[in-house]
Amino acid sequence: TFEAVHGCDVWTSSSEQLTTARLQAPLDALEEGLDLLREVVVQPRFQRRDVRLLRENMMRYLLITGPSRSDVLLASALSGAWWPRDHPFAARPDAVGWRDLGRRELRRRHAALLASAPVDVLVVADRPWSDLEPRLEHLLRGVGVDAPVPAPPEAAPPTGAQVIGIDLPGTDQA
């Protein structure tokens, strides 16, 4: 996601493992930039159009783009080979879940993430920290928990040699 307001740029990205947000703002628009960042991170609107575009993009990737790229197929096959089937890292993408994902579910997931995940803030600025710290504390009020990042689920590494084949009937393969 990218938004540009008052000369400020906000980029956000989220996945099952990581959510990031980045603000780039001129010094004279820092307050507006921080307000925009808080709105995007803490109070997202999940507008119908944006949710529809997200679903369409993910479905296109899961059903068309991803399966036609050898690097995506390789990564998926290796995940399936390295991790046990019940491990989250071996989970196959859920096209039906993406197709049915709605605003209510996005809001629920977002609220759970903000209430349960630790938050790290990295600041690169031409401002004294004493000037930025209170603004960032306000921005992040009520976000995250003071807890260590949960360790990924454990799994035994694969043993022995494996041969992994990817067969896509009816397609050209190299």
Side-chain angles (χ1 to χ4, degrees):
T1 301
F2 168 82
E3 290 202 28
V5 178
H6 301 291
C8 304
D9 296 330
V10 175
W11 292 268
T12 60
S13 175
S14 189
S15 70
E16 294 292 330
Q17 293 83 26
L18 176 68
T19 298
T20 60
R22 186 177 86 189
L23 165 68
Q24 185 174 348
L27 288 176
D28 62 347
L30 180 61
E31 290 301 321
E32 292 85 355
L34 290 172
D35 288 344
L36 178 62
L37 185 63
R38 180 163 179 78
E39 180 181 331
V40 169
V41 171
V42 180
Q43 303 162 329
R45 293 184 218 128
F46 297 117
Q47 295 179 349
R48 282 183 173 79
R49 178 181 178 271
D50 293 338
V51 173
R52 180 180 50 80
L53 289 172
L54 172 66
R55 277 196 311 260
E56 288 173 3
N57 286 339
M58 284 306 298
M59 293 301 292
R60 188 176 307 111
Y61 174 78
L62 291 173
L63 301 176
I64 300 169
T65 310
S68 67
R69 291 182 38 197
S70 60
D71 61 325
V72 173
L73 293 174
L74 176 63
S76 296
L78 290 175
S79 290
W82 286 340
W83 304 102
R85 290 192 187 279
D86 60 346
H87 193 282
F89 293 170
R92 295 183 56 87
D94 180 10
V96 172
W98 275 104
R99 184 196 67 207
D100 296 340
L101 184 65
R103 296 170 70 202
R104 181 176 296 147
E105 177 63 11
L106 278 173
R107 284 188 188 107
R108 186 196 67 74
R109 289 183 187 190
H110 185 77
L113 176 69
L114 290 182
S116 64
V119 173
D120 292 326
V121 177
L122 172 64
V123 177
V124 179
D126 189 16
R127 297 288 287 264
W129 178 245
S130 60
D131 184 33
L132 294 173
E133 186 175 24
R135 293 174 170 150
L136 294 169
E137 286 176 352
H138 172 73
L139 170 78
L140 297 171
R141 188 174 301 129
V143 174
V145 294
D146 188 12
V149 175
E154 291 189 26
T159 58
Q162 296 186 69
V163 175
I164 302 167
I166 300 173
D167 186 20
L168 298 173
T171 62
D172 293 332
Q173 300 176 51

